[in-house]
Amino acid sequence: MPGSIRLFVEFELAEGGVVSLAEPQAHYLVNVMRRGPGDEVRLFNGRDGEWQARISVARRKNVELILEQQTRPQNVEPDFHLCFALLKRARTDLVVEKASELGVSVIQPVITTRTQADHVNLARLRAIAIEAAEQCERLMVPQILMPVSLAELLAHWPAERRLMLADERRNAPVAAPPAGGLLIGPEGGFTDQELDLARLHPFVTACSLGARILRAETAAIAGLALLLASAPS
Ligand code: SAM
């Protein structure tokens, strides 16, 4: 039996249900992974857990699968927001992929004074998050939000949710849970005014990610690893 494939679908998943996949998932299954009738695929939708499904019809543009049994119940994953100053495309893609693998629930791009970009292709980033969730056996896909300014982020941040501000300039304690979010600055760093604005809010806690100055994407990955490694999966 070839290794089982996992696919994220928007459909409801219930025993005996039939799922009909169009392109590009049909193309992926039939032409790329050479799957056909009788082969097993695992499906998840972020709500109904993971289900074992069996291909009943396999065409290049359409694949039908019959849902056989639930293989994993839906779990409640950590509610954790990664807020990061938008980076250039390839590095933003990397942050989205790794944050999805590391278990965040929300990815919030932030526009700061020294941000290197000011817009995102949400559809493309969602596709990256979905592929990462499929690969790392998650049962949900993080939500990716439209970029907001730092001021908007702080103004609308819930007071009861602890936001770890990754601040390489201060002798802050190393990032440690519990926290509900992590804020990473741009390659050029936060401005003094931005740091002062953030520190005005009681829910903001400055944290260090170690003695070295990390690139922004490295900081996001390192910070999430510190804050989420002990979180329940
Ligand atoms: N100000 C930095 C410098 O002196 O080169 C540039 C910013 S750093 C490349 C990008 C972001 O990563 C920072 O704004 C911060 O949020 C985070 N960061 C990098 N290294 C860090 C560290 N050791 N501790 C905490 N945050 C760090």
Side-chain angles (χ1 to χ4, degrees), residues 166-168 184-187 189-190 207-210 212-214 216 219:
D167 185 350
E168 74 285 358
I184 301 288
E187 204 47 51
F190 289 113
C207 69
S208 167
L209 301 177
R212 283 156 295 283
I213 300 296
L214 308 175

